[in-house]
């Protein structure tokens, strides 16, 4: 049997522990006012289409979570990592049509993979405890403004740049 083709229309405030797409062609489309809160990990298979423009919030309160998109561009307006005590490590490059924001927890591009992040704005502007580990990754932002990479509030922030490259335009 071949895996099927499916469309998931995202509407309203959605919650899940983990989101895993392991086969088939799945399209995540925008319904009415979609938002998605993920309390665990995300794993997508290449070929997934994420055209939903609703915000995605990773809100786990424990470490050991992963975000693996396998070359899928996430159409979300914002991806927010906000779980106090949470920790997410990239399992592949992360490409987002909107903003990537770290407001609590640990965001790590993977010291073994050094995965790239591509987004409009990369930010961490909260006063909660948070850590950004960029390792040897490249972060490319394309907002067209001087705030493409913004860390306005540094209270509570541990920023480990490693040998990363930050590109803003």
């Amino acid at each position: 049997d071949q895996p099927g083709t499916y469309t998931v229309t995202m509407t309203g405030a959605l919650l899940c522990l983990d989101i895993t797409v392991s086969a088939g062609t799945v399209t995540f489309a925008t319904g009415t006012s979609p938002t998605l809160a993920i309390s665990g990990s995300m794993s997508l298979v290449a070929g997934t289409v994420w055209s939903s423009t609703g915000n995605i919030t990773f809100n786990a309160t424990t470490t050991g979570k992963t975000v693996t998109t396998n070359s899928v561009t996430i159409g979300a307006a914002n991806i927010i990592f906000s779980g106090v005590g949470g920790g997410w490590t990239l399992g592949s490059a992360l490409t987002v049509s909107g903003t990537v924001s770290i407001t609590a927890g640990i965001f790590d591009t993977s010291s073994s993979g050094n995965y790239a992040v591509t987004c409009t704005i990369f930010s961490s502007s909260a006063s909660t405890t948070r850590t950004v580990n960029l390792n040897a990754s490249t972060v490319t932002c394309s907002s067209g403004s001087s705030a493409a990479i913004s860390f306005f509030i540094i209270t509570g922030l541990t920023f480990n740049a490693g040998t990363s490259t930050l590109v803003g335009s």
Side-chain angles (χ1 to χ4, degrees), residues 71-146:
S71 300
V72 174
T73 297
I74 305 297
N78 299 295
I79 290 186
I80 305 153
F81 295 89
S82 69
V84 173
W88 303 268
T89 301
L90 296 183
S92 67
L94 178 63
T95 301
V96 180
S97 296
T99 299
V100 173
S101 180
I102 299 93
T103 61
I106 301 167
F107 176 82
D108 194 311
T109 61
S110 175
S111 60
S112 61
N114 295 305
Y115 296 112
V117 177
T118 304
C119 55
T120 304
I121 296 171
F122 187 74
S123 72
S124 181
S125 295
S127 58
T128 53
T129 300
R130 65 219 187 274
T131 300
V132 177
N133 296 321
L134 297 182
N135 305 293
S137 299
T138 298
V139 177
T140 305
C141 303
S142 59
S143 74
S145 77
S146 61

Side-chain angles (χ1 to χ4, degrees), residues 6-12 14 26-32 34 49-54:
Y6 305 95
T7 298
V8 176
T9 302
M10 300 176 68
T11 297
L14 306 168
V26 180
T27 298
F28 291 88
T30 297
T32 306
V49 176
W50 198 289
S51 58
S52 178
T53 56

Side-chain angles (χ1 to χ4, degrees), residues 18-37:
D18 296 309
I19 186 161
T20 302
V21 176
S22 58
T25 303
V26 180
T27 298
F28 291 88
T30 297
T32 306
S33 303
T35 60
L36 176 61

Side-chain angles (χ1 to χ4, degrees), residues 137-162:
S137 299
T138 298
V139 177
T140 305
C141 303
S142 59
S143 74
S145 77
S146 61
I149 299 170
S150 62
F151 292 80
F152 292 117
I153 300 172
I154 59 171
T155 301
L157 173 65
T158 300
F159 183 75
N160 298 310

